Amino acid sequence: MKIYHLSAECYPVAKVGGLGDVVGALPKYQNLAGLQAAVVLPFYDRKFTQENEFETVFAAATLLSNKRYFFEVLKEKTNKLGFELYLIKIPGLLDRENIYSYPDEREQFIAYQLAFLDWISYSQQTPDLIHCHDHHTGLVPFLLYHSKLYTRLANVPTVFTIHNGQYHGAFGWEKLSLLPEIDLTKTGLLDWAGGINPLAAAVKTSWRYTTVSPSYLEELTYNSNGLEYLFYIERGKGTGIMNGIDTEVWNPQTDPMIAAKFTARTLAKGKQANKEVLCQRFELDPNKPLFTFIGRLVIEKGADLLAEAIERSLLENEGEINFLILGTGDKETELELLKLKNKYAEHCAVFIGYDESLAHQIYAGADFLLMPSRVEPCGLNQLYALRYGTMPIVRATGGLKDSVIDFGDEGGYGIRFVQDSVQDICHSVFRAKQLYKDTAKMQQLRKLMMALDFSWTRSTQEYIDLYKSLNPII
């Protein structure tokens, strides 16, 4: 009953976004449910690998075009993450600090996938299922079924999860020589728009594919950066499963990263204590409602709208509200926000960069979390916010639409808006400010938020049910 998860990210080893959080949690909960789930990552020279012990469990060489690369498979000795963790290390290729943005990134991820397949093939393993995540692992299903090197593994089921369909990892046919010998009559399965497209190849060749929320499954058919028709014709093999959150990591009752721990019973006192610590650090008034944004400052997140929306909201609400931004990304957006911080120092704070401890403190101390995303396959920030009694203000797209119900609707607990516009953001901020004044209603909604179940337990069972439909022995 062996399941291998392949991914470029896994918290706390290496994380850029939600992909890392998911791969760092889902296998742990699958193991708690009785599966034997493991994670295989590229090796990164980062804090986790420097501070933990690994043993070499396999060593061999793989070919990339005509160049031979020696690789090692390293296993973390203690299973401290709740699952077996394997790292594929290739000197000079997969032994660097950063996860992305190297000029030979295509070669890096191709080598990683080939080394994984060579390892399980040469060591005579037959996993019960291989679960691939995003385009960095998208060639694995194709190679399993259409390369002579791996015919022994051709009956292993594969599941492919799309965390962000905007990124395909595509490259030109001149790099076909980087792949091992394949059935050349099947090259159409690699092709999309005249190039090799790993995301498209995985959708075509995996046994099933999943998206990280039900709504995102449908959205890919009209917004997937050129793959819309593919998702339309392959929709029958797709399933939308909402991501969960690791409730051991994200727990205001035990969180070591926040100033004051709290439960639903001590919510009012705990939130205020955390808010005061946060506001003291950034010289804001803790008696005013605090609106926050945490994440990448990129157009997909609607970050280009933030500066104008914040300034307009501050002017329209006459200094009655405060904003705190934590993020990094587009340099022009960063500059606009820093100018805003200088102009409205008493009401606006900006932290350019990312700080995990600060993020936890913001979830614990803020009143509202802004997520004006244009694209949000699932979103985890809104789920973290709910766990800490912080109300999400979201654009109704993808997983945000699936997980946040407007407080004006039956059973609602958040704020939703439709258009990716400054006007809709400002109107939502005004609604939030008015709600904040109703202390009793606000406390009632906060308790409702904290009682919601977005844990991995529910989502894990949906994945297990999918696995069993492909391999009954799981």
Side-chain angles (χ1 to χ4, degrees):
M1 298 186 185
K2 184 77 169 185
I3 313 294
Y4 278 119
H5 288 270
L6 306 185
S7 172
E9 301 179 32
C10 174
Y11 176 83
V13 187
K15 169 189 166 182
V16 171
L19 170 63
D21 284 323
V22 171
V23 179
L26 175 58
K28 178 171 72 173
Y29 284 87
Q30 289 179 335
N31 285 338
L32 292 172
L35 298 185
Q36 187 183 352
V39 172
V40 185
L41 288 184
F43 179 93
Y44 302 106
D45 186 14
R46 299 167 77 90
K47 182 179 180 181
F48 185 92
T49 54
Q50 294 163 4
E51 295 181 352
N52 290 278
E53 289 190 61
F54 293 82
E55 58 182 334
T56 300
V57 296
F58 187 81
T62 192
L63 280 173
L64 213 63
S65 191
N66 293 320
K67 190 171 182 180
R68 185 175 298 274
Y69 286 92
F70 173 80
F71 72 88
E72 292 179 279
V73 180
L74 307 178
K75 183 179 184 292
E76 193 270 316
K77 286 186 175 182
T78 65
N79 286 2
K80 68 183 297 181
L81 301 182
F83 50 81
E84 293 179 351
L85 172 68
Y86 297 92
L87 305 180
I88 293 178
K89 184 175 185 178
I90 302 179
L93 199 61
L94 296 179
D95 58 356
R96 305 169 187 172
E97 178 182 1
N98 296 325
I99 304 172
Y100 305 120
S101 301
Y102 290 103
D104 57 354
E105 182 176 291
R106 297 289 180 269
E107 286 78 2
Q108 285 184 297
F109 287 118
I110 291 173
Y112 155 64
Q113 294 171 85
L114 295 182
F116 166 74
L117 290 172
D118 288 348
W119 167 42
I120 61 171
S121 178
Y122 297 161
S123 58
Q124 295 297 301
Q125 297 184 59
T126 307
D128 295 300
L129 186 137
I130 297 174
H131 191 149
C132 301
H133 296 265
D134 269 351
H135 71 81
H136 324 96
T137 66
L139 296 174
V140 166
F142 174 84
L143 292 171
L144 271 178
Y145 310 133
H146 303 295
S147 172
K148 293 179 180 179
L149 286 182
Y150 311 115
T151 52
R152 188 182 65 80
L153 300 166
N155 292 321
V156 175
T158 50
V159 170
F160 180 69
T161 294
I162 300 160
H163 297 259
N164 192 329
Q166 297 296 309
Y167 302 101
H168 305 167
F171 51 90
W173 282 102
E174 72 279 0
K175 292 186 183 291
L176 180 63
S177 61
L178 296 174
L179 303 185
E181 183 181 358
I182 62 172
D183 182 348
L184 293 176
T185 68
K186 303 295 184 181
T187 54
L189 295 171
L190 292 171
D191 181 77
W192 195 265
I196 296 174
N197 188 309
L199 188 82
V203 170
K204 294 176 188 179
T205 58
S206 61
W207 287 28
R208 293 290 295 273
Y209 73 87
T210 71
T211 60
V212 289
S213 69
S215 289
Y216 194 54
L217 181 68
E218 181 63 29
E219 286 184 17
L220 287 172
T221 64
Y222 57 84
N223 184 12
S224 51
N225 198 16
L227 293 182
E228 292 79 9
Y229 182 65
L230 175 65
F231 284 111
Y232 174 76
I233 61 177
E234 295 282 6
R235 195 180 185 282
K237 65 189 284 190
T239 302
I241 300 176
M242 188 75 190
N243 280 342
I245 61 173
D246 190 334
T247 52
E248 293 180 11
V249 174
W250 299 95
N251 184 352
Q253 189 173 358
T254 60
D255 192 338
M257 299 186 195
I258 65 177
K261 298 174 178 59
F262 62 95
T263 65
R265 181 173 292 183
T266 59
L267 170 63
K269 184 179 179 181
K271 286 288 288 183
Q272 187 60 30
N274 282 295
K275 185 177 183 181
E276 287 175 2
V277 168
L278 200 57
C279 289
Q280 182 178 12
R281 175 174 175 177
F282 290 99
E283 299 182 343
L284 300 172
D285 184 350
N287 296 310
K288 292 182 171 63
L290 179 59
F291 294 81
T292 60
F293 174 95
I294 300 173
R296 291 182 296 123
L297 299 174
V298 294
I299 193 168
E300 292 89 347
K301 301 293 184 182
D304 56 306
L305 305 172
L306 283 175
E308 184 180 349
I310 290 171
E311 182 164 31
R312 180 169 158 181
S313 291
L314 288 173
L315 295 172
E316 290 177 348
N317 294 282
E318 299 179 353
E320 296 180 273
I321 58 178
N322 291 330
F323 288 91
L324 170 58
I325 308 298
L326 168 62
T328 183
D330 178 73
K331 297 306 176 186
E332 186 174 337
T333 300
E334 290 179 1
L335 287 174
E336 288 177 354
L337 291 168
L338 289 171
K339 288 178 184 176
L340 208 61
K341 168 191 172 184
N342 294 330
K343 187 175 181 181
Y344 301 97
E346 293 183 8
H347 300 286
C348 183
V350 177
F351 185 103
I352 298 299
Y354 186 73
D355 183 312
E356 188 78 15
S357 296
L358 177 56
H360 281 245
Q361 187 62 47
I362 291 174
Y363 288 121
D367 298 300
F368 303 96
L369 178 76
L370 282 169
M371 295 186 71
S373 304
R374 291 186 173 89
V375 178
E376 197 65 71
C378 174
L380 292 173
N381 289 7
Q382 81 278 14
L383 305 183
Y384 301 148
L386 291 167
R387 181 85 166 136
Y388 288 73
T390 295
M391 181 174 286
I393 302 175
V394 306
R395 180 169 172 262
T397 185
L400 302 179
K401 183 165 61 175
D402 290 334
S403 59
V404 178
I405 303 171
D406 192 274
F407 78 90
D409 298 330
E410 184 177 353
Y413 43 81
I415 295 176
R416 275 176 32 174
F417 59 94
V418 176
Q419 301 298 327
D420 54 339
S421 68
V422 169
Q423 181 176 345
D424 270 29
I425 296 172
C426 291
H427 178 64
S428 298
V429 167
F430 177 76
R431 289 183 67 206
K433 184 196 77 171
Q434 296 301 102
L435 174 63
Y436 181 83
K437 293 177 180 178
D438 188 342
T439 305
K441 179 69 172 177
M442 196 69 190
Q443 286 301 101
Q444 177 191 353
L445 291 174
R446 281 175 170 167
K447 287 183 177 180
L448 175 58
M449 290 180 234
M450 291 184 69
L452 296 170
D453 181 13
F454 285 106
S455 70
W456 268 113
T457 304
R458 171 184 48 81
S459 302
T460 295
Q461 189 56 52
E462 292 186 55
Y463 277 110
I464 292 175
D465 291 342
L466 175 63
Y467 293 172
K468 286 182 176 179
S469 73
L470 305 179
N471 190 342
I473 72 167
I474 292 175

